[in-house]
Amino acid sequence: MVTGIGLRGLDKIRNTMNLIPNNIDQIVLASEQVGFENENHIIATMIKYLPKYYDLNNIMIASSRMEAIKKIVEDTKIDESIILLTGINEPQHYRGNLINHDDKSYIKMCINNLNT
């Protein structure tokens, strides 16, 4: 999962996208720490700078870190895959509010929900 960070400015997204190697099976693009930026604009900027060797049809898109994690868990064979999350694992800044978030507990919850 690669996240576009609104708080750091959209100009940093180009550098992040240029670092994505060409041998990843599945990429998830998500906005994170959006601050007051528009999540869709963050995602559009990420797509704009996505390396050309990636097919947009093989990319998952989410408007938040939580949505991305949920999609990843639901779309992955947990016992056969490695999920690498990038970004920060702390409360999310969203429109002047802090939304508590912890990747580990949220992933466990998503996995448990699959099994119920």
Side-chain angles (χ1 to χ4, degrees):
M1 179 171 81
V2 181
T3 57
I5 312 291
L7 290 176
R8 294 193 186 126
L10 298 176
D11 56 325
K12 305 267 192 237
I13 291 175
R14 172 186 257 173
N15 296 336
T16 301
M17 301 309 286
N18 285 331
L19 295 173
I20 300 174
N22 66 353
N23 56 351
I24 297 174
D25 293 327
Q26 177 78 48
I27 293 180
V28 179
L29 302 179
S31 58
E32 177 178 16
Q33 300 292 8
V34 299
F36 290 94
E37 289 289 339
N38 180 293
E39 302 91 321
N40 294 325
H41 184 60
I42 291 171
I43 296 296
T45 303
M46 294 175 79
I47 291 170
K48 177 180 177 181
Y49 293 116
L50 186 70
K52 300 297 180 217
Y53 42 77
Y54 278 104
D55 178 4
L56 287 178
N57 295 317
N58 192 33
I59 292 177
M60 213 180 288
I61 295 173
S63 63
S64 71
R65 186 174 187 87
M66 289 178 73
E67 180 186 337
I69 290 171
K70 185 174 187 242
K71 284 183 176 187
I72 291 168
V73 169
E74 290 174 349
D75 194 56
T76 303
K77 294 178 181 174
I78 297 299
D79 57 342
E80 299 176 11
S81 301
I82 295 171
I83 299 172
L84 174 64
L85 301 177
T86 65
I88 54 178
N89 181 31
E90 61 183 36
Q92 300 291 296
H93 292 264
Y94 183 80
R95 310 275 188 269
N97 295 312
L98 280 178
I99 301 169
N100 285 329
H101 173 76
D102 176 63
D103 284 349
K104 195 181 232 182
S105 61
Y106 189 68
I107 290 168
K108 285 178 183 178
M109 184 186 84
C110 290
I111 291 170
N112 288 336
N113 287 345
L114 287 176
N115 297 325
T116 58

